Amino acid sequence: KRPISVWRYKEFLPVRIEPVTLQEGGTPLYHLKKIGEELGLPNLYAKHEGMNPSGSFKDRGMTLGVSMAKQLGKNIVACASTGNTSASMAVYAAKAGMPAVVLLPAGHVALGKVAQALMHGAKVISIRGNFDRALEMVHELCVTHGIYLLNSINPYRLEGQKTIGFEAVDQLGCVPDRIVLPVGNAGNISAVYKGLCEWRDVGYIDTLPMMTAIQAEGAMPVVNAIKGNLPEVVVEQNPETVASAIRIGAPVNAEKALRAIRETKGCAESVTDEEILAMQRDLARYEGIGVEPASAASVAGIRKLAEQGMLDPKEKIVCVVTGHLLKDPETVIKQCAPPIEIDPTIEALLSVL
Ligand SMILES: Cc1ncc(COP(=O)(O)O)c(/C=C/C(=O)C(=O)O)c1O
């Protein structure tokens, strides 16, 4: 019996060579008992994608993307990133012995992610612009210089990310009624939807979960398109949110995401930075689950939908929490009271307990 992991599902994956792998996937599906009780949702779960090799779900896409780069005989891989894509690509390119180039929006990438891209040997370029501009630039670089582009416009990235849904169904023992994801470039929600459609088409499952997109209030083109019943998203020029991973105004996979939400009668909701940070703290303190701010948005969105009476209490809900808490330590330090510093004596210690 194959262990729960990305390559357990190799028959649904397009790579035929020996993959570049770091045993990605197989992430835990946690029952959110306390937060579920608070919200009247006894079947609320979180799939902790921060437990992947590089600490985010991007590893699922990169094991495919970098394997494909190798299969296609590419020499260099590149991406623009709000951080986790670049961290993951650096890790898998290192494993494959392939040079990597990453473009990051200067001043808006969480410390842990920059540390990973640097330590794993990528050429890290920080541009004076936002993620959307970085993506335009790396796209042009790849087209003009034959470099392999590994952003989520690369279909092989999404192939690997399909496995989040496969694992959730295998772990839950049934198809969840709803899968909730934080949405930035909208690759992940599109990938999970595509995978479960494939399982329905081959008769593995006969229902699809309601695909639910959660965005930060300062960066919510998909939410606006769904709530405004628009045919396509209106690009936001100046996306802003503390959840830097989803600070994206022009999601390249928007069309796929709108289809995923609409065809499954899902929904899209926004949450404020305060609601995101409150949920990041609650997941850590009540459930022992440490995630970066963007990841907490999915559960923060469920709290909001529950409070608005939009959810059936019987729903089986899987929230994808997408990246590890350690990715963005600076935001945590800013949110928390500092450690209490004392003289090295027991008396001093007892005086502060
Ligand atoms: C923690 C975390 N949570 C959610 C998302 C949104 O996923 P998509 O909607 O598929 O983009 C990201 C995305 C990050 C990047 O886009 C990048 O790293 O360049 C993330 O890092």
Side-chain angles (χ1 to χ4, degrees), residues 57-58 81-85 131 182-188 245-246 248 292 294-295 322-323:
F57 71 93
K58 302 287 184 181
S81 176
T82 60
N84 280 320
T85 295
F131 166 83
V183 169
N185 238 346
N188 213 21
I246 53 173
I248 295 178
E292 68 171 284
S295 313
T322 43

Side-chain angles (χ1 to χ4, degrees), residues 18 23 25 71 131 136 209 225 227 236 262 291 320 337 351:
E18 191 57 31
Q23 301 173 46
Q71 183 170 313
F131 166 83
E136 284 168 2
K227 291 194 169 179
E236 291 190 21
R262 288 170 171 154
V291 298
V320 182
S351 71

Side-chain angles (χ1 to χ4, degrees), residues 32-218:
L32 297 185
K33 205 167 169 327
K34 292 181 194 144
I35 293 176
E37 267 164 27
E38 171 216 321
L39 301 177
L41 297 169
N43 305 308
L44 181 63
Y45 297 85
K47 187 153 177 61
H48 194 350
E49 288 297 295
M51 306 294 265
N52 276 297
S54 85
S56 88
F57 71 93
K58 302 287 184 181
D59 295 342
R60 295 175 185 271
M62 284 301 168
T63 183
L64 265 290
V66 172
S67 298
M68 273 317 286
K70 208 171 150 190
Q71 183 170 313
L72 297 168
K74 299 293 178 178
N75 306 316
I76 307 178
V77 291
C79 73
S81 176
T82 60
N84 280 320
T85 295
S86 64
S88 182
M89 189 183 78
V91 164
Y92 282 82
K95 177 71 176 170
M98 209 180 274
V101 175
V102 307
L103 265 59
L104 300 177
H108 290 100
V109 181
L111 192 61
K113 306 172 186 178
V114 179
Q116 286 178 293
L118 291 171
M119 183 49 75
H120 288 285
K123 192 165 192 63
V124 182
I125 296 156
S126 186
I127 67 140
R128 296 189 197 95
N130 62 20
F131 166 83
D132 302 300
R133 180 60 193 135
L135 184 55
E136 284 168 2
M137 288 176 64
V138 77
H139 201 159
E140 189 176 328
L141 172 78
C142 291
V143 167
T144 53
H145 291 72
I147 293 172
Y148 196 57
L149 178 60
L150 273 177
N151 274 92
S152 59
I153 15 189
N154 181 313
Y156 298 107
R157 279 274 314 280
L158 303 192
E159 288 303 302
Q161 292 174 205
K162 289 182 326 190
T163 58
I164 293 177
F166 296 160
E167 288 187 10
V169 171
D170 279 349
Q171 288 169 307
L172 201 58
C174 64
V175 180
D177 298 299
R178 188 185 299 272
I179 296 185
V180 194
L181 303 96
V183 169
N185 238 346
N188 213 21
I189 191 167
S190 307
V192 172
Y193 172 65
K194 178 176 189 285
L196 292 178
C197 285
E198 289 169 1
W199 271 21
R200 182 213 38 208
D201 294 347
V202 295
Y204 265 27
I205 57 178
D206 51 21
T207 58
L208 291 176
M210 292 177 278
M211 299 309 292
T212 301
I214 307 298
Q215 295 197 298
E217 206 165 76

